[in-house]
Amino acid sequence: VGFSVVRVQAFDTDDGPNAEISYELISRLGERPPFAIDRKSGWIRTTRELDREENHLYNLQVGGRQGGEPLVQ
């Protein structure tokens, strides 16, 4: 729990607040993957223990938002 898995990054050529990007994990209704994302840094970490026998593959979808603009997936 709390292990860093991967970091996502996006870049924007704007200046000021429009250059700031926040991240979020996109999940299907009712789905609670055992991961969380740091909205500022983009680091994805585990939120509970992973069990390969229970699930051997995870597909994560990340969205990004720049300076309050709509989410981009």
Side-chain angles (χ1 to χ4, degrees), residues 11-27:
F11 299 95
D12 192 324
T13 58
D14 289 342
D15 292 323
N18 285 338
E20 296 175 15
I21 299 173
S22 61
Y23 305 96
E24 61 186 81
L25 287 176
I26 310 299
S27 58

Side-chain angles (χ1 to χ4, degrees), residues 21-66:
I21 299 173
S22 61
Y23 305 96
E24 61 186 81
L25 287 176
I26 310 299
S27 58
R28 288 180 263 186
L29 189 61
E31 184 180 62
R32 295 208 21 111
F35 302 97
I37 192 166
D38 183 290
R39 295 177 70 83
K40 292 259 182 211
S41 71
W43 274 106
I44 296 175
R45 294 183 169 86
T46 58
T47 57
R48 60 180 186 262
E49 197 169 303
L50 303 180
D51 183 346
R52 188 181 187 287
E53 292 179 11
E54 180 184 311
N55 193 348
H56 71 281
L57 177 68
Y58 293 95
N59 289 307
L60 301 176
Q61 186 175 3
V62 176
R65 186 183 315 265
Q66 74 172 49

